[in-house]
Amino acid sequence: MITSSVSYQLIIGNANNKKSPRDHKLQTTVIAILEEFFEKNQAALLYICETGDGKQGIRSRLFSYWFEQYDNNLRYSIHTVCIKDEEGIDNFAALIIRNDNPNIADAVNEFMQTALALQSKPQNN
């Protein structure tokens, strides 16, 4: 999605496909990973919610909540989008980027333009 600057994708998976308990340690672990990532990188991070079980909206809200709780110093920006695919399934994605990233305007613009293009349905001629 982002070509004007370096970007990475964050994947949080449930390999055993068991119902996840509300474990505060998961939030702490994810935030620690984000903190370490951004300490070492001036890159953008793309977060895409898995859609296989229909709980992508819940995942997106939870991740945004965790992120908002964490970033009380406003060091980062998060930009979220919801894109319906051809089957009408909502796909949630987010761009997370440090506010001091010299390419922030370009990265956010490219992310939003890509999301807008993906939301537009091609016209039949």
Side-chain angles (χ1 to χ4, degrees):
M1 250 192 223
I2 309 274
T3 58
S4 62
S5 61
V6 176
S7 61
Y8 295 86
Q9 181 178 353
L10 172 64
I11 300 170
I12 304 168
N14 182 347
N16 62 13
N17 293 319
K18 293 182 181 176
K19 184 176 178 179
S20 300
R22 290 187 166 236
D23 186 351
H24 184 70
K25 291 185 277 184
L26 178 59
Q27 175 184 358
T28 303
T29 301
V30 170
I31 295 302
I33 290 168
L34 289 175
E35 184 67 29
E36 184 173 339
F37 173 83
F38 282 116
E39 281 180 17
K40 297 178 180 179
N41 294 286
Q42 275 286 343
L45 187 64
L46 301 172
Y47 172 71
I48 301 170
C49 294
E50 195 269 323
T51 60
D53 60 2
K55 295 181 181 177
Q56 60 271 22
I58 294 168
R59 286 185 189 97
S60 179
R61 286 188 299 277
L62 179 61
F63 186 82
S64 293
Y65 173 75
W66 286 352
F67 187 81
E68 289 166 13
Q69 276 193 321
Y70 162 70
D71 190 28
N72 57 5
N73 294 327
L74 302 176
R75 294 179 289 174
Y76 310 101
S77 292
I78 185 168
H79 302 272
T80 59
V81 295
C82 176
I83 303 167
K84 282 197 184 297
D85 66 16
E86 292 174 351
E87 290 82 37
I89 296 172
D90 290 332
N91 291 271
F92 293 88
L95 170 74
I96 305 168
I97 192 165
R98 286 173 43 169
N99 289 330
D100 64 353
N101 185 312
N103 299 313
I104 189 171
D106 291 337
V108 170
N109 184 50
E110 192 169 341
F111 175 75
M112 299 307 279
Q113 290 297 321
T114 301
L116 186 61
L118 290 171
Q119 289 172 340
S120 301
K121 297 194 177 179
Q123 305 256 339
N124 292 333
N125 292 329

